[in-house]
Amino acid sequence: LAKEMGKNNYQFFTKELDEKNAKKMMLERELHKALERGQFQLHYQPQFDLQSGCLLGVEALIRWEHPKLGTVSPADFIPLAEETGLIVPIGNWVLQTACHQNKKWQDVGFPAVRISVNVSVRQFTQPNFVDNVKEVLEQSGLSPDCLDLEITESMTVEGEFFHSVLRKLKELNIHVSLDDFGTGYSSLSSLRHFPINRLKIDQTFVKTLDDTNKAIVAMIITLAKSLKINVIAEGVETMEQVIFLKEMNCHEAQGYFFAKPMPAEQITVFFARSFAYSLQ
Ligand code: C2E
Ligand code: MG
Ligand code: MG
Ligand code: MG
């Protein structure tokens, strides 16, 4: 009997695996065609100065609108795009679209803000990555200090190569943030050698502000202060979180409490408001 059951379990298991693989293959096929079919879109989420309330920047977040599958979450297709290498052309499209959009906002007279673009390992380690970024900036006419590249902690283990790319970006005056900070495995002591501009506190710490998470958030803010870099909290959803972060002197915040990611046209309301602040 045990043997029978074991066999059934095995079959059940492989059937599930087959379905999973089939779904993945289908998604991969569709992903290959998504770019040329114009199925990607960028949404933008504002980032605010916690003390002045000014809008400092927006993060570009990719959306995939598939005619049959509906909206596919980046959490589902970005890992697949990385695995297949498709992240390189997709990431390039994101960079181009984000830079052109930011320049367009400035051209119609809104105050200059920074645009944050998520960059994955696969992109960052392309030998021509820096040249490519430079080219996109030149083509769009966007000033380098209006671009922020969000990289993740896991990239910091890439060692010397990673360092040299960061140094080149710094020379170009491009801003760099360490996304999802606190969830990766970068050694704290090595942080001082990375020419980065900002730590992004991961949303898991902000979500439930129990004593442990409060201590972690406070520690990251202190760390940023001693490194003389900026710090932003992401995933801020409640007034209680805002009050705590302000008390801790966290510089910036981003989250549903302030605004959800939204299409380009809708974000201009926030620009207008920020412009009004800056006139005061
Ligand atoms: P991320 O860069 O850490 O982005 C933050 C995620 O949190 C976004 O999810 C955003 O919509 C969501 N978020 C913002 N505020 C709140 C909040 O108050 N509460 C909650 N619960 N969530 C909030 P999204 O857009 O689904 O993106 C997920 C991840 O996919 C991103 O995490 C990023 O790692 C990746 N991603 C998104 N766009 C791109 C892209 O263009 N290129 C690359 N390489 N990765 C991207
Ligand atoms: Mg990000
Ligand atoms: Mg993040
Ligand atoms: Mg993330």
Side-chain angles (χ1 to χ4, degrees), residues 33-89:
K33 293 175 279 191
L35 204 52
E36 61 187 59
R37 289 182 175 169
Q39 291 170 348
F40 292 123
Q41 228 194 315
L42 288 187
H43 280 196
Y44 303 89
Q45 187 178 34
Q47 302 174 336
F48 295 93
D49 182 310
L50 263 178
Q51 308 308 322
S52 69
C54 276
L55 182 134
L56 298 174
V58 295
E59 178 175 6
L61 294 156
I62 196 169
R63 298 290 176 259
W64 181 14
E65 288 297 336
H66 189 276
K68 290 221 177 66
L69 302 169
T71 310
V72 188
S73 161
D76 290 329
F77 74 84
I78 291 289
L80 188 60
E82 282 187 36
E83 208 179 292
T84 55
L86 282 168
I87 194 65
V88 176

Side-chain angles (χ1 to χ4, degrees), residues 10-27:
Y10 178 72
Q11 279 173 343
F12 175 72
F13 191 59
T14 50
K15 188 166 169 258
E16 235 187 17
L17 267 183
D18 283 347
E19 277 170 12
K20 227 176 151 182
N21 271 330
K23 194 179 168 219
K24 196 175 156 189
M25 275 163 68
M26 181 273 294
L27 215 56

Side-chain angles (χ1 to χ4, degrees), residues 179-180 202 234:
D179 203 356
D180 306 339
D202 190 73
E234 66 177 331

Side-chain angles (χ1 to χ4, degrees), residues 59-61 116-118 150 179-180 200 234 254:
E59 178 175 6
L61 294 156
S116 298
V117 174
N118 292 284
E150 290 194 3
D179 203 356
D180 306 339
K200 273 195 106 170
E234 66 177 331
Q254 173 185 354

Side-chain angles (χ1 to χ4, degrees), residues 247-259:
E247 271 172 11
M248 292 288 117
N249 285 316
C250 183
H251 306 128
E252 304 169 33
Q254 173 185 354
Y256 296 168
F257 177 80
F258 302 100

Side-chain angles (χ1 to χ4, degrees), residues 2-264:
K3 207 176 164 192
E4 255 325 284
M5 267 181 64
K7 199 176 159 204
N8 282 340
N9 277 342
Y10 178 72
Q11 279 173 343
F12 175 72
F13 191 59
T14 50
K15 188 166 169 258
E16 235 187 17
L17 267 183
D18 283 347
E19 277 170 12
K20 227 176 151 182
N21 271 330
K23 194 179 168 219
K24 196 175 156 189
M25 275 163 68
M26 181 273 294
L27 215 56
E28 190 180 324
R29 263 198 319 273
E30 293 304 305
L31 197 57
H32 266 283
K33 293 175 279 191
L35 204 52
E36 61 187 59
R37 289 182 175 169
Q39 291 170 348
F40 292 123
Q41 228 194 315
L42 288 187
H43 280 196
Y44 303 89
Q45 187 178 34
Q47 302 174 336
F48 295 93
D49 182 310
L50 263 178
Q51 308 308 322
S52 69
C54 276
L55 182 134
L56 298 174
V58 295
E59 178 175 6
L61 294 156
I62 196 169
R63 298 290 176 259
W64 181 14
E65 288 297 336
H66 189 276
K68 290 221 177 66
L69 302 169
T71 310
V72 188
S73 161
D76 290 329
F77 74 84
I78 291 289
L80 188 60
E82 282 187 36
E83 208 179 292
T84 55
L86 282 168
I87 194 65
V88 176
I90 294 173
N92 207 25
W93 176 86
V94 172
L95 190 66
Q96 282 179 18
T97 309
C99 289
H100 278 92
Q101 181 58 258
N102 199 13
K103 183 64 168 59
K104 237 187 263 174
W105 283 321
Q106 293 177 11
D107 286 347
V108 296
F110 288 119
V113 299
R114 200 170 270 141
I115 193 149
S116 298
V117 174
N118 292 284
V119 176
S120 68
V121 200
R122 195 77 179 250
Q123 262 179 291
F124 200 81
T125 51
Q126 293 286 304
N128 59 350
F129 176 70
V130 177
D131 287 335
N132 199 36
V133 174
K134 227 166 112 179
E135 206 178 295
V136 173
L137 284 171
E138 276 159 17
Q139 280 168 0
S140 64
L142 186 73
S143 164
D145 63 351
C146 287
L147 175 64
D148 169 56
L149 299 177
E150 290 194 3
I151 58 173
T152 54
E153 253 183 298
S154 58
M155 299 186 198
T156 59
V157 297
E158 300 283 323
E160 192 38 47
F161 177 77
F162 176 83
H163 270 207
S164 73
V165 176
L166 282 182
R167 274 194 299 270
K168 281 183 210 156
L169 292 172
K170 192 190 166 83
E171 268 165 37
L172 291 169
N173 224 3
I174 295 166
H175 204 266
V176 175
S177 299
L178 214 46
D179 203 356
D180 306 339
F181 188 74
T183 60
Y185 37 90
S186 67
S187 88
L188 293 180
S189 64
S190 71
L191 261 186
R192 67 195 308 164
H193 304 299
F194 296 138
I196 50 166
N197 304 86
R198 186 169 70 164
L199 298 180
K200 273 195 106 170
I201 306 172
D202 190 73
Q203 42 184 294
T204 52
F205 304 121
V206 180
K207 189 175 266 169
T208 29
L209 280 177
D210 53 28
D211 287 347
T212 309
N213 282 343
K214 275 185 176 168
I216 292 171
V217 170
M219 186 276 282
I220 297 175
I221 295 169
T222 307
L223 178 65
K225 203 157 285 168
S226 61
L227 290 169
K228 297 188 175 65
I229 59 177
N230 272 313
V231 58
I232 180 169
E234 66 177 331
V236 178
E237 293 184 356
T238 67
M239 190 65 187
E240 186 203 352
Q241 292 163 347
V242 175
I243 291 168
F244 172 73
L245 292 164
K246 270 187 88 143
E247 271 172 11
M248 292 288 117
N249 285 316
C250 183
H251 306 128
E252 304 169 33
Q254 173 185 354
Y256 296 168
F257 177 80
F258 302 100
K260 289 198 169 178
M262 60 194 107

